[in-house]
Amino acid sequence: MQQLGSMVIRPATEEDLNAVLGIYNAAIENTTAVFEYRPHSIDARREWFANKRAGGWPVIVAVDRDVVIGFASYGPFRGWPAYKYSVEHSVYVAESSRRQGVGEALLRAVVDDARARGFHTMIGGVTSDNTASLKLHRKVGFVDAGAVRQSGYKFGRWLDLVFVQIVFDTPSDPKDG
Ligand SMILES: CC(C)(COP(=O)(O)OP(=O)(O)OC[C@H]1O[C@@H](n2cnc3c(N)ncnc32)[C@H](O)[C@@H]1OP(=O)(O)O)[C@@H](O)C(=O)NCCC(=O)NCCS
């Protein structure tokens, strides 16, 4: 757990999922951050959370005075075994709590977690018009790793996906298999 002013960054619990769902669905409905058209149900979020838990992947929330104002997570980058040292993350902040350092605190927390667990690189997929997210990632040390042009279609237009990544000096002793 990490305390920053009145904000706490801590692991998510089942009780946080309604708030997490609200933040996620707002991002689906209003932004190109999620390549999804329709809001998710609470059951879908519970399943997502259960899968994260089963896989041992972290889900963290930012909480201010008992209100969940953001969340972040990471999981496998791609399924093939030799990607085992790579992870892909996501970070979302409630609209009313943006530009106050919440996204940066959440992103730094998942970066620190991945490094501490011995992963080698963390990757994010950011729509090319998401200036806020691109700047946030660059501020935390991510660099651009290429773009896949017109890989999504939402709000009546093609979306380019920019990959951003940060490379760690871990693990100290990487192995095949
Ligand atoms: C992207 C997002 C997570 C940023 O969260 P946030 O809490 O507002 O970001 P912070 O306040 O921690 O800002 C950290 C840095 O990010 C950059 N940044 C954040 N919002 C920005 C904006 N609207 N315009 C320009 N830069 C921005 C700045 O570099 C900022 O540092 P500074 O305050 O020193 O200028 C938030 O806008 C969000 O949830 N957006 C919708 C979902 C999304 O896009 N998620 C990322 C998917 S890849």
Side-chain angles (χ1 to χ4, degrees):
M1 197 168 89
Q2 194 190 348
Q3 180 97 37
L4 292 154
S6 59
M7 177 173 70
V8 169
I9 306 275
R10 61 158 172 79
T13 68
E14 286 276 346
E15 288 68 49
D16 298 321
L17 291 183
N18 272 320
V20 164
L21 177 70
I23 295 168
Y24 193 61
N25 280 344
I28 290 175
E29 285 173 315
N30 306 324
T31 78
T32 55
V34 193
F35 281 29
E36 168 66 286
Y37 300 112
R38 278 177 279 281
H40 283 196
S41 64
I42 187 65
D43 285 345
R45 256 321 68 179
R46 286 202 186 105
E47 193 181 332
W48 165 82
F49 191 58
N51 286 336
K52 290 281 185 186
R53 275 205 165 149
W57 300 107
V59 178
I60 57 169
V61 285
V63 181
D64 195 348
R65 299 174 187 88
D66 291 332
V67 178
V68 174
I69 53 175
F71 70 97
S73 183
Y74 68 82
F77 173 57
R78 301 188 78 184
W80 292 100
Y83 286 113
K84 66 180 178 176
Y85 293 119
S86 300
V87 290
E88 180 167 0
H89 69 284
S90 54
V91 53
Y92 298 92
V93 175
E95 250 172 290
S96 56
S97 299
R98 290 187 191 153
R99 298 298 335 231
Q100 296 164 36
V102 181
E104 184 175 341
L106 284 165
L107 184 56
R108 287 191 190 281
V110 285
V111 163
D112 289 350
D113 187 280
R115 189 190 288 111
R117 290 202 205 189
F119 290 105
H120 186 60
T121 184
M122 178 171 255
I123 299 148
V126 185
T127 315
S128 62
D129 63 4
N130 191 347
T131 312
S133 181
L134 288 171
K135 287 198 169 166
L136 164 65
H137 282 89
R138 285 174 193 143
K139 186 174 183 193
V140 171
F142 286 74
V143 295
D144 289 9
V148 185
R149 294 179 55 237
Q150 302 189 2
S151 51
Y153 188 84
K154 189 173 176 182
F155 301 142
R157 59 196 167 83
W158 295 109
L159 305 176
D160 296 350
L161 188 70
V162 176
F163 284 107
V164 291
Q165 77 170 142
I166 187 165
V167 177
F168 309 129
D169 55 7
T170 51
S172 54
D173 186 19
K175 289 185 182 64
D176 283 17

